[in-house]
Amino acid sequence: MSELLARLGEALLEADETAALDVTRRLLDSGVDPRAILDAMAAAMAELGQRWNRGEAFLPEVVAAADIFRKCGEAVEPVLLASGQQRAGQRVVIGTVKGDLHDLGKNIVGAMMKTAGFEVHDLGKDVPADRFVRAVQELQPSIVGLSALLTTTMMEQKVVIEALEQAGLRSCVRVMVGGAPVTAQWAAEIGADGYAPNAAEAVEVALGLVGGHR
């Protein structure tokens, strides 16, 4: 199976949707642990992100791979849920804040949190503060993750935290922030509970916040 997992990673790096979906189905049909499949997918996306940072990959490739990543994840998720490998009560609500239409990083974080067993509810992009507040009221998550890719929209992370405070919900949920312009200093300044510079560290921070460090 390790060869198939490696092939899945290669298909993602090559943005070969047909191959990626075919290999994913073959892995699932073979009874491979769905978390192993998601781990292989996440590793490939992390590698692609590093290539992008080094100027060895271009945005269209990353966007195409992210879309394939999403489709493969949709195939894996029902099996993951059926296997009962989610952490009971460890629910995460994530979204890109109002005014920001970028969701690639948020999508990768969400997928990787699923591999760690979190129940992830993705509110999408351009999400206003009151939508986050309603989600916390309705879903009672352990963590809310706020993504912002622009310096002009990262202020909305503070707006969401203030909205949670005004709604009397701030003490009920941990807030994580992330995104290209976001720093640990910014997270501390606005009163967030956690910050991570990339998807892999976001999972570790989330596990730490819920007391489930690996």
Side-chain angles (χ1 to χ4, degrees):
M1 286 305 120
S2 59
E3 291 182 2
L4 275 181
L5 289 170
R7 178 66 193 116
L8 175 58
E10 292 170 0
L12 281 168
L13 290 171
E14 295 165 358
D16 186 338
E17 179 175 335
T18 301
L21 290 172
D22 176 65
V23 174
T24 299
R25 282 191 289 269
R26 289 169 61 189
L27 287 163
L28 292 171
D29 291 344
S30 300
V32 173
D33 185 336
R35 290 178 63 174
I37 300 173
L38 289 174
D39 281 344
M41 292 165 50
M45 292 305 295
E47 168 61 22
L48 187 58
Q50 291 173 1
R51 292 183 185 182
W52 186 20
N53 289 336
R54 295 195 297 265
E56 299 171 358
F58 297 97
L59 186 58
E61 298 172 52
V62 178
V63 172
D67 187 53
I68 297 168
F69 180 97
R70 177 184 59 78
K71 291 176 180 177
C72 292
E74 289 174 351
V76 174
E77 187 170 355
V79 182
L80 180 70
L81 292 171
S83 69
Q85 294 186 37
Q86 289 202 317
R87 295 165 191 267
Q90 303 302 353
R91 189 173 293 155
V92 177
V93 167
I94 62 173
T96 305
V97 297
K98 180 181 178 182
D100 203 319
L101 301 177
H102 302 85
D103 63 357
L104 177 58
K106 179 263 296 173
N107 291 345
I108 294 174
V109 169
M112 291 189 67
M113 283 192 172
K114 288 179 183 177
T115 72
F118 287 99
E119 178 185 333
V120 178
H121 293 260
D122 188 348
L123 302 182
K125 54 193 176 185
D126 191 19
V127 182
D130 62 346
R131 180 70 187 92
F132 281 106
V133 170
R134 287 201 306 275
V136 172
Q137 290 171 329
E138 295 166 2
L139 299 170
Q140 300 181 352
S142 302
I143 296 172
V144 171
L146 308 174
S147 176
L149 191 71
L150 307 172
T151 53
T152 53
T153 57
M154 60 189 282
M155 286 297 299
E156 279 294 320
Q157 294 176 328
K158 181 180 180 182
V159 172
V160 174
I161 290 174
E162 291 174 346
L164 289 170
E165 290 174 346
Q166 291 170 3
L169 297 168
R170 183 64 186 90
S171 62
C172 304
V173 66
R174 300 298 183 94
V175 178
M176 289 180 59
V177 295
V182 179
T183 63
Q185 181 179 354
W186 169 249
E189 183 179 329
I190 64 176
D193 300 298
Y195 154 79
N198 55 56
E201 291 190 37
V203 172
E204 294 302 321
V205 171
L207 286 169
L209 289 175
V210 300
H213 236 294
R214 292 183 286 199

